[in-house]
């Protein structure tokens, strides 16, 4: 409600939201959390502020293992050679691949098929660290571009702790 102007019609965003709700309707809480992150990341792309993830936004080199950071001002990931003092997002290339997965899942909410049409419902494995990293990235981007804080992430953090730690206390 804070990133789309009130009264402005957007069938694309409405369809995106509707499809997201259809996906989470039958999802367990862990999958719903991943879908929610994909939705938030995908909204950034729909609004033209999604991060460039393929290569370093500064030097153009393919992002490789090692230190990877995000520069919201430049609009994407920055390699270890260029990213001195940037916001730390990922420790490994695997974290960036998870962001690509989220972007791919978000495509399903737009009506695009997942994995080149092979599978309508995405299947994936996710770690607590990947989810926490993605949450931090998405919060940073929304804060930078729209000056808002995603309050649901505090609740999702509790779900995350319960889902990934089978302590029986949830």
């Amino acid at each position: 409600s804070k990133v789309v102007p009130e009264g402005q019609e957007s069938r694309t965003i409405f369809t995106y939201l509707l499809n997201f709700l259809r996906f989470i309707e039958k999802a367990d809480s862990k999958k719903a959390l991943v879908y929610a992150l994909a939705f938030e990341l995908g909204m950034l792309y729909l609004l033209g502020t999604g991060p460039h993830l393929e290569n370093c936004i500064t030097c153009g080199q393919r992002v490789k293992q090692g230190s990877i950071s995000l520069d919201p001002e430049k609009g994407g990931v920055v390699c270890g050679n260029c990213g001195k003092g940037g916001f730390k997002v990922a420790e490994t290339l695997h974290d960036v691949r998870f962001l690509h997965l989220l972007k791919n899942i978000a495509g399903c909410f737009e009506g695009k098929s997942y994995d080149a049409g092979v599978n309508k419902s995405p299947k994936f494995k996710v770690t607590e660290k990947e989810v926490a990293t993605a949450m931090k990235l998405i919060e940073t981007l929304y804060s930078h571009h729209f000056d808002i804080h995603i309050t649901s992430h505090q609740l999702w953090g509790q779900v995350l702790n319960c889902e990934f730690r089978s302590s029986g206390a949830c």
Side-chain angles (χ1 to χ4, degrees), residues 7 22 27 40 66 73 87 95 97 104 131:
R22 288 179 178 144
E40 292 168 353
E73 296 265 334
F87 176 78
D95 293 332
R97 287 185 182 138
N104 198 356
V131 171

Side-chain angles (χ1 to χ4, degrees), residues 11 26 38 43 55 69 83 95 101 110 114 126-127 158 161:
R11 291 192 186 273
K26 295 177 183 163
M43 275 297 293
N55 46 29
S69 57
D95 293 332
L101 171 70
E110 292 180 65
Y114 180 80
V126 62
T127 67
Q158 293 170 358
N161 288 334

Side-chain angles (χ1 to χ4, degrees), residues 71-119:
D71 189 334
E73 296 265 334
K74 291 182 180 177
V77 292
V78 181
C79 70
N81 294 331
C82 299
K84 296 178 178 38
F87 176 78
K88 190 76 168 172
V89 174
E91 297 294 329
T92 68
L93 187 58
H94 189 71
D95 293 332
V96 174
R97 287 185 182 138
F98 180 62
L99 297 175
H100 281 283
L101 171 70
L102 291 177
K103 187 177 175 184
N104 198 356
I105 292 170
C108 295
F109 308 149
E110 292 180 65
K112 300 173 186 172
S113 55
Y114 180 80
D115 203 18
V118 174
N119 201 349

Side-chain angles (χ1 to χ4, degrees), residues 13-24:
I13 291 176
F14 177 77
T15 301
Y16 182 75
L17 173 62
L18 186 61
N19 287 337
F20 161 69
L21 293 173
R22 288 179 178 144
F23 268 77
I24 66 166

Side-chain angles (χ1 to χ4, degrees), residues 11-161:
R11 291 192 186 273
T12 302
I13 291 176
F14 177 77
T15 301
Y16 182 75
L17 173 62
L18 186 61
N19 287 337
F20 161 69
L21 293 173
R22 288 179 178 144
F23 268 77
I24 66 166
E25 181 178 34
K26 295 177 183 163
D28 61 34
S29 56
K30 189 187 294 186
K31 204 168 205 177
L33 169 58
V34 172
Y35 287 164
L37 291 172
F39 174 83
E40 292 168 353
L41 184 64
M43 275 297 293
L44 289 168
Y45 285 102
L46 285 176
L47 297 168
T49 58
H52 181 77
L53 301 172
E54 285 69 36
N55 46 29
C56 176
I57 203 78
T58 303
C59 70
Q61 294 293 319
R62 194 122 186 100
V63 177
K64 299 176 185 168
Q65 283 292 44
S67 180
I68 301 168
S69 57
L70 170 76
D71 189 334
E73 296 265 334
K74 291 182 180 177
V77 292
V78 181
C79 70
N81 294 331
C82 299
K84 296 178 178 38
F87 176 78
K88 190 76 168 172
V89 174
E91 297 294 329
T92 68
L93 187 58
H94 189 71
D95 293 332
V96 174
R97 287 185 182 138
F98 180 62
L99 297 175
H100 281 283
L101 171 70
L102 291 177
K103 187 177 175 184
N104 198 356
I105 292 170
C108 295
F109 308 149
E110 292 180 65
K112 300 173 186 172
S113 55
Y114 180 80
D115 203 18
V118 174
N119 201 349
K120 182 67 178 164
S121 179
K123 293 182 182 174
F124 51 83
K125 290 185 179 183
V126 62
T127 67
E128 180 179 5
K129 181 188 174 298
E130 290 169 328
V131 171
T133 298
M135 286 174 78
K136 194 172 184 182
L137 162 72
I138 291 166
E139 284 178 18
T140 299
L141 291 169
Y142 273 90
S143 176
H144 175 76
H145 293 295
F146 303 107
D147 196 29
I148 60 174
H149 177 71
I150 302 175
T151 55
S152 63
H153 281 192
Q154 186 175 15
L155 173 63
W156 280 121
Q158 293 170 358
V159 171
L160 177 69
N161 288 334

